[in-house]
């Protein structure tokens, strides 16, 4: 929410600086992000002055340039300026950009410098409207009336004043602060707490009255649940035109683009008092009637942005007398019912819609408008009439026209405030400080809460309907505390705390810290991504089909509509962001949860619950191993760098590699890839090369290597690992090397598993140290060179024993893999 400092002063009297206002609002719970000066014209017309052309002669070397001398009113000699405008003439009052002045053309900036134009020196520039931002005309220079005073700064002549924009970060429960009046109301409570009264006010609507009794159109509300209150007024004979300067300046300060006087008035009220309004062209309302209802499911409707949307039977629509939709109520207008320059008669809508209906419609269509932002959080249902009257009066003032008939007010019931009883002892207990009863009463009254009954121990309050989040005693206490000031509650010198024993720390948390330290020490950076992800990642996904995704109800946007099945895409988005910022050598890791839905599971069986959540650890590697160096040239990372990191995690967790089975797999996510399992077939990890198809989804244009580890399964294995003391062996290990000739489709993992299964007691390690394919080998063959290490910790191994073990290994390799000794 952007707040204009000047606009705020229309509702409240105060002498605070913009920064002091920001500090006060932050202390009230309306956290201010930035406070910055805003100029309605970029540059604020600095360096531009009113000048008078004293002489004007043709340029000696041009048939369209003129050489002028201009009095700038600074008491110095006239300034020579070469001007190319066809309408420049002696005696004119003009706007001059002096040397050093900065002018702007869109995002481009240029500085007026001393220069020569076809051999004649020019020391400034006589300006056209579009060159300084006061208009769009470029046919010639600006010619001012004779009454203009030479030397007057252009900013003063045009009445250009800067404003301050205060950016307020609203929390979801504080929609009452979503307008200038709402902010002023809170600020007034702060001022009263600090000994002054800002005399909170808003424009009077007492002058509202119909100009004639006829001409109004009727309203019928057929869905009272979705629309508890609908008000409207008809105004005929308006003139749609450009808004006055004061209105445009206010809207521009808060980042709102002026459109025309009618639309700008609705935006002025929206931002001023928090009531969304919608304006219909009366001549486009067929049937002469407004009907508030839903439409049949699947009906097509083109919204204001030109997009054709398929309606749900749960979308509240504002329809014409024939039942044709004109607007998605509280969300977005239609393409063919809005105000244009040809509009002469209008119907203004001011309504209170049910927040849940609006929120669901907005999410359903992927829309987030200023109106839906307010309606879905809950506006004041008792403020619709006031804002409608204010809009009508402003339209009469700025666009003319006649108010036809009384205001139509279709109200299903009254909207009383919220009754809340609070006890003084309860207030003091929650705040942690004894507050004077007079202070409590003054604060609640400053927040427009009515005291309907009281005694020495408690207050009975009626909370106004604009505070939809204050309906319990604790809510009232929170409001009292934020106005009283969190910093005014002193801390007791005594601290009551429960100290935890490190041995009680959760094992998984301990291991998470341990592995985090290891990965960070190996050059990885930890990232944290949202568990919500985009639907497009799973729309055409075989490995992680959309049918197995957990869908989110009432999604914030289409990019946050599913719970992630894999952690891959969040990391790819982080990689893309870094690459776009010239940081392409990346090693990331993330601990998080992944989610799965099984549509075939039986909801009645806990063990077969359709929704599952699993802890996971993900790693990403891309780019070079390190930055360029004179000492060590970088190389491209490979999948083997990732494989080493994953197996390093296994070792750190105490998981014996001999208890892990590795399979080579391939899918539409990773190709090629490795799948790690324990002996029982439980999947522990997957790693591989991310396919080009997946990289394109996130606009990553360099190879990425990804691994995802099943953290729950790893923790179960790690918990079984016991660190025990063992004496160093008194014997020496024995190494035997084998050169094996195998078929090209035989993997090293098959060789390794065969060796491990052949000798489980004395085998210490098996390692592949050479692979060869090429000359002097049979077609379809390759050579593996492996090192086998044996050791008996109790006694020295004899040759006969070693030979027997090696023969057993060789025999099993021949039988199970077809390997032959070279």
């Amino acid at each position: 929410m952007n707040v204009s400092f000047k606009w705020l002063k229309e509702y409240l009297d105060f002498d605070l600086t913009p920064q002091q206002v920001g500090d006060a609002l932050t202390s009230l719970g309306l956290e201010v992000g930035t406070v910055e000066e805003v100029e309605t014209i970029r540059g604020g017309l600095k360096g531009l002055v009113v000048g008078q052309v004293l002489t004007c002669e043709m340029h000696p070397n041009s048939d369209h340039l003129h050489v002028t001398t201009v009095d700038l009113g600074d008491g110095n000699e006239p300034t020579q300026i070469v001007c190319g405008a066809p309408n420049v003439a002696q005696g004119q009052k003009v706007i001059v950009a002096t040397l050093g002045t900065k002018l702007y053309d869109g995002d481009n900036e240029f500085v007026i410098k001393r220069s020569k134009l076809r051999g004649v020196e020019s020391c400034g520039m006589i300006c056209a409207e579009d060159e300084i931002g006061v208009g769009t005309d470029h046919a010639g220079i600006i010619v001012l009336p004779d009454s203009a005073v030479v030397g007057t700064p252009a900013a003063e002549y045009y009445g250009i004043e800067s404003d301050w924009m205060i950016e307020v970060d609203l929390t979801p429960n504080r929609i009452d602060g979503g307008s200038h009046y709402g902010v002023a109301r809170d600020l007034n409570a702060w001022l009263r707490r600090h000994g002054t009264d800002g005399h909170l006010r808003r424009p009077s609507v007492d002058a509202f009255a119909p100009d004639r009794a006829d001409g109004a159109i009727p309203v019928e509300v057929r869905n009272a649940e979705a629309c508890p209150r609908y008000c409207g007024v008809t105004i005929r004979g308006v003139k749609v035109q450009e808004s006055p300067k004061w209105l445009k300046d206010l809207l521009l300060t808060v980042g709102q683009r002026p459109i025309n006087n009618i639309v700008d008035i609705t935006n002025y009220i929206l931002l001023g008092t928090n009531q969304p309004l919608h304006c219909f062209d009366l001549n486009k309302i067929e049937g002469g009637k407004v009907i508030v209802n839903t439409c049949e499911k699947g009906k097509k409707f083109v919204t204001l942005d030109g997009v054709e949307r398929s309606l749900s039977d749960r979308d509240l629509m504002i329809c014409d007398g024939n039942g044709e939709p004109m607007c998605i109520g509280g969300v977005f207008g239609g393409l063919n019912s809005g105000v244009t320059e040809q509009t002469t008669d209008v119907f203004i809508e001011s309504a209170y819609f049910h927040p849940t209906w609006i929120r669901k419609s907005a999410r359903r269509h992927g829309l987030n408008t200023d109106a839906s932002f307010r309606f879905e959080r809950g506006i004041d249902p008792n403020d619709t009439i006031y804002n409608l009257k204010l809009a009508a009066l402003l339209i009469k003032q700025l666009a003319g026209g006649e108010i036809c008939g009384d205001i139509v007010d279709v109200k299903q019931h009254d909207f009383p405030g919220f009754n809340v009883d609070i006890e003084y002892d309860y207030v003091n207990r929650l705040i942690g400080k004894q507050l004077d009863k007079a202070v409590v009463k003054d604060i609640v009254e400053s927040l427009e809460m009515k005291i309907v009954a009281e005694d020495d121990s408690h207050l009975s309050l009626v909370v106004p309907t604009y505070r939809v989040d204050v309906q319990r005693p604790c809510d009232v206490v929170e409001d009292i505390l934020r106005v009283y000031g969190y910093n005014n509650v002193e801390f007791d010198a005594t601290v009551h705390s429960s100290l935890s024993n490190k041995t009680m720390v959760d094992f998984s948390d301990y291991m998470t810290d341990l592995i985090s330290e290891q990965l960070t020490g190996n050059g990885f950076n930890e990232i944290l991504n949202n568990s919500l992800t985009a639907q497009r990642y799973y729309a055409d996904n075989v490995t992680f089909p959309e049918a197995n995704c957990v869908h989110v109800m009432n999604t914030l946007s289409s990019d946050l509509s599913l719970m992630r099945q894999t952690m891959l895409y969040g990391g790819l988005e982080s990689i893309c962001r870094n690459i776009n910022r010239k940081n392409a050598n990346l090693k990331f890791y993330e601990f998080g949860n992944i989610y799965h839905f099984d549509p075939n599971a039986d909801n009645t069986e806990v063990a077969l619950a359709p929704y599952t959540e699993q802890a996971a650890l993900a790693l990403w590697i891309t780019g070079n191993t390190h930055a360029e160096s004179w000492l060590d040239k970088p190389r491209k990372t490979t999948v083997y760098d990732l494989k080493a990191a994953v197996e390093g995690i296994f070792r750190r967790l105490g998981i014996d590699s001999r208890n892990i089975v590795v399979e080579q797999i391939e899918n539409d996510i990773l190709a090629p890839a490795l799948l790690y399992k324990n002996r029982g077939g439980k999947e522990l990890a997957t790693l591989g090369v991310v396919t080009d198809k997946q990289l394109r989804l996130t606009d990553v244009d360099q190879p990425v290597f990804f691994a995802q580890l099943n953290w729950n399964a790893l923790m179960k294995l790690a918990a079984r690992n016991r660190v025990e003391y063992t004496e160093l062996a008194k014997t020496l290990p024995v190494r035997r090397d084998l050169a094996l000739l195998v078929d090209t489709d035989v993997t090293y993992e098959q060789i390794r598993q065969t060796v491990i299964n052949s000798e489980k007691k004395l085998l210490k390690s098996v390692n592949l140290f050479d692979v060869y394919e090429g000359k002097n080998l049979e077609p379809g063959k390759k050579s593996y060179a492996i090192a086998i290490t044996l050791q008996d910790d109790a006694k020295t191994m004899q040759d006969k024993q070693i030979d027997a073990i090696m023969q057993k290994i060789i025999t099993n390799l021949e039988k199970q893999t077809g390997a032959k000794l070279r």
Side-chain angles (χ1 to χ4, degrees), residues 74-96:
D74 54 5
N76 297 323
E77 292 293 322
T79 301
Q80 180 170 285
I81 299 176
V82 177
C83 180
N87 64 327
V88 64
Q90 182 179 355
Q92 291 174 335
K93 300 286 183 68
V94 294
I95 296 294
V96 179

Side-chain angles (χ1 to χ4, degrees), residues 66 84-89 92 139-143:
H66 296 83
N87 64 327
V88 64
Q92 291 174 335
I141 60 170
I142 302 169
V143 179

Side-chain angles (χ1 to χ4, degrees), residues 360-502:
K360 289 184 176 182
S361 285
R363 301 298 174 266
R364 191 178 297 120
H365 296 289
L367 295 168
N368 183 21
T369 62
D370 286 336
S372 68
F373 179 82
R374 287 161 174 80
F375 279 126
E376 68 189 33
R377 286 162 174 79
I379 63 167
D380 187 353
N382 290 319
D383 222 21
T384 54
I385 295 293
Y386 168 82
N387 287 289
L388 195 59
K389 289 180 177 179
L390 180 59
L393 291 174
L394 285 171
I395 288 174
K396 283 191 64 177
Q397 176 186 340
L398 302 182
E402 294 180 314
I403 299 174
C404 300
D406 291 325
I407 288 177
V408 177
D409 183 9
V410 182
K411 183 170 61 171
Q412 308 307 318
H413 53 77
D414 290 330
F415 300 92
F418 310 111
N419 295 311
V420 179
D421 289 341
I422 61 168
E423 295 185 356
Y424 289 116
D425 287 344
Y426 177 78
V427 173
N428 296 331
R429 187 168 67 252
L430 255 62
I431 290 178
K433 182 177 180 178
Q434 193 81 14
L435 299 187
D436 189 273
K437 295 177 182 178
V439 171
V440 174
K441 290 171 60 177
D442 182 65
I443 291 176
V444 297
E445 287 176 338
S446 71
L447 293 172
E448 300 182 355
M449 300 180 190
K450 294 182 180 179
I451 300 175
V452 294
E454 63 175 303
D455 56 34
D456 289 340
S457 62
H458 93 290
L459 294 174
S460 293
L461 306 173
V462 176
V463 179
T465 48
Y466 73 81
R467 285 307 305 272
V468 294
D469 64 312
V470 180
Q471 301 185 29
R472 303 170 300 172
C474 59
D475 299 329
V476 175
V477 175
E478 181 184 0
D479 262 15
I480 293 171
L481 178 56
R482 67 184 181 85
V483 176
Y484 179 76
Y486 295 98
N487 294 335
N488 294 324
V489 179
E490 299 83 4
F491 287 97
D492 195 297
T494 304
V495 176
H496 301 280
S497 176
S498 299
L499 301 178
S500 62
N501 190 324
K502 186 173 176 86

Side-chain angles (χ1 to χ4, degrees), residues 599-792:
N600 300 317
D602 186 353
N603 289 325
T604 62
E605 296 291 336
V606 175
L608 297 176
Y611 298 101
T612 57
E613 180 178 354
Q614 176 184 306
L617 167 61
L619 287 78
W620 297 262
I621 294 180
T622 187
N624 294 333
T625 53
H626 56 273
E628 293 179 340
S629 169
W630 64 273
L631 183 62
D632 184 16
K633 291 185 178 180
R635 64 169 175 81
K636 295 289 186 183
T637 54
T638 69
V639 71
Y640 297 104
D641 294 304
L642 182 63
K643 182 173 182 284
V646 171
E647 294 181 355
I649 292 172
F650 292 160
R651 287 192 296 273
R652 192 67 184 88
L653 294 174
I655 300 173
D656 193 336
S657 63
R658 291 175 296 182
N659 296 324
I660 296 177
V661 179
V662 184
E663 299 176 5
Q664 185 168 336
I665 62 171
E666 196 167 299
N667 54 43
D668 63 335
I669 302 295
L670 302 173
L674 296 178
L675 174 63
Y676 290 78
K677 297 181 178 179
N678 65 8
R679 292 290 178 182
K682 182 71 174 179
E683 294 186 6
L684 303 178
T686 305
L687 69 85
V689 183
V690 181
T691 62
D692 291 342
K693 173 185 175 182
Q694 306 305 320
L695 295 179
R696 285 194 295 270
L697 288 175
T698 50
D699 296 325
V700 175
D701 57 1
Q702 66 185 44
V704 177
F705 310 104
F706 170 71
Q708 184 167 291
L709 290 71
N710 184 338
W711 192 247
N712 292 340
L714 291 177
M715 288 302 95
K716 290 180 180 179
L717 291 178
R720 300 173 190 166
N721 178 49
R722 297 181 63 85
V723 179
E724 298 178 346
Y725 162 78
T726 304
E727 285 191 41
L728 289 175
K730 297 178 181 179
T731 61
L732 296 176
V734 177
R735 169 173 166 161
R736 291 291 185 269
D737 294 348
L738 296 178
L740 304 173
L741 188 66
V742 297
D743 293 337
T744 53
D745 60 349
V746 175
T747 65
Y748 166 65
E749 181 60 24
Q750 292 174 273
I751 300 293
R752 190 179 77 91
Q753 289 297 328
T754 302
V755 173
I756 291 173
N757 293 332
S758 299
E759 178 53 55
K760 296 182 178 180
K761 183 179 179 182
L762 301 179
L763 180 68
K764 294 298 181 183
S765 68
V766 55
N767 181 50
L768 175 68
F769 63 86
D770 186 49
V771 179
Y772 175 73
E773 291 182 82
K775 296 180 180 179
N776 302 322
L777 292 182
E778 300 175 25
K781 298 289 185 179
K782 62 182 175 182
S783 174
Y784 281 149
I786 63 173
I788 298 173
T789 302
L790 305 171
Q791 187 175 20
D792 189 336

Side-chain angles (χ1 to χ4, degrees), residues 42-43 102-111 130-131 133:
R42 189 178 178 189
K102 294 180 180 179
L103 298 180
Y104 302 90
D105 181 13
D107 294 331
N108 299 320
E109 171 187 294
F110 62 94
V111 180
D130 64 333
E131 292 169 334

Side-chain angles (χ1 to χ4, degrees), residues 514-623:
L514 194 71
I515 298 304
S516 294
E517 291 174 0
Q518 174 171 317
L519 290 171
T520 302
N522 288 329
F524 282 80
N525 288 298
E526 185 173 10
I527 60 174
L528 182 63
N529 289 296
N530 200 331
S531 296
L532 299 176
T533 188
Q535 184 177 5
R536 66 178 184 277
Y537 295 144
Y538 300 92
D540 188 26
N541 199 316
V542 177
T543 306
F544 300 105
E546 186 179 345
N548 294 126
C549 287
V550 178
H551 289 255
V552 179
M553 299 175 65
N554 303 325
T555 58
L556 296 175
S557 72
S558 58
D559 287 337
L560 299 171
S561 60
L562 304 177
M563 303 293 285
R564 62 187 177 191
Q565 278 194 72
T566 172
M567 298 174 73
L568 170 66
Y569 300 109
L572 291 180
E573 290 174 354
S574 298
I575 288 171
C576 178
R577 180 177 177 84
N578 277 268
I579 292 175
N580 290 342
R581 286 156 180 78
K582 308 301 181 184
N583 183 24
N585 304 325
L586 304 166
K587 296 169 76 174
F588 288 152
Y589 73 94
E590 179 183 4
F591 286 93
N593 292 338
I594 53 176
Y595 308 86
H596 182 83
F597 171 68
D598 183 359
N600 300 317
D602 186 353
N603 289 325
T604 62
E605 296 291 336
V606 175
L608 297 176
Y611 298 101
T612 57
E613 180 178 354
Q614 176 184 306
L617 167 61
L619 287 78
W620 297 262
I621 294 180
T622 187

